[in-house]
């Protein structure tokens, strides 16, 4: 889990994942999502439930293919 926290916190971690369609980050105790999530242009499903998020970055609006977003405690 610690390694995943570090990777997701990295500002460039998403640049090589532009074809990723599903991202499951549930129950990771994240407090934020990096702005670079907007680089995931093919993302259709993003599951962030059971985290400690206070807000989402503005770049989430750049995810034009996003059909499913799960946010809950």
């Amino acid at each position: 889990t610690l390694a995943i926290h570090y990777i997701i916190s990295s500002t460039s971690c998403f640049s090589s994942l532009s074809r990723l369609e599903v991202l499951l980050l549930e129950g990771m105790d994240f407090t934020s999502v990096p702005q670079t999530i907007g680089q995931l242009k093919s993302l259709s499903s993003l599951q962030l439930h059971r985290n400690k998020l206070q807000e989402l970055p503005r770049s989430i609006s750049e995810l034009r293919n996003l059909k499913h977003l799960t946010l809950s405690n």
Side-chain angles (χ1 to χ4, degrees):
T1 302
L2 188 56
I4 291 173
H5 277 275
Y6 175 76
I7 291 168
I8 298 301
S9 298
S10 170
T11 57
S12 62
C13 69
F14 295 126
S15 61
S16 63
L17 302 172
S18 62
R19 295 182 185 204
L20 186 70
E21 294 182 11
V22 176
L23 183 57
L24 308 172
L25 297 173
E26 57 188 80
M28 302 293 292
D29 290 329
F30 288 122
T31 56
S32 65
V33 177
Q35 260 316 61
T36 53
I37 197 153
Q39 296 175 355
L40 300 177
K41 302 300 183 188
S42 298
L43 199 65
S44 64
S45 179
L46 176 58
Q47 297 188 21
L48 295 168
H49 56 284
R50 294 187 299 140
N51 282 292
K52 298 176 181 177
L53 301 174
Q54 297 294 317
E55 61 185 2
L56 293 174
R58 290 182 184 207
S59 65
I60 204 132
S61 65
E62 297 171 21
L63 302 174
R64 304 287 184 214
N65 293 313
L66 190 64
K67 293 176 178 59
H68 302 282
L69 175 62
T70 305
L71 299 168
S72 65
N73 289 335

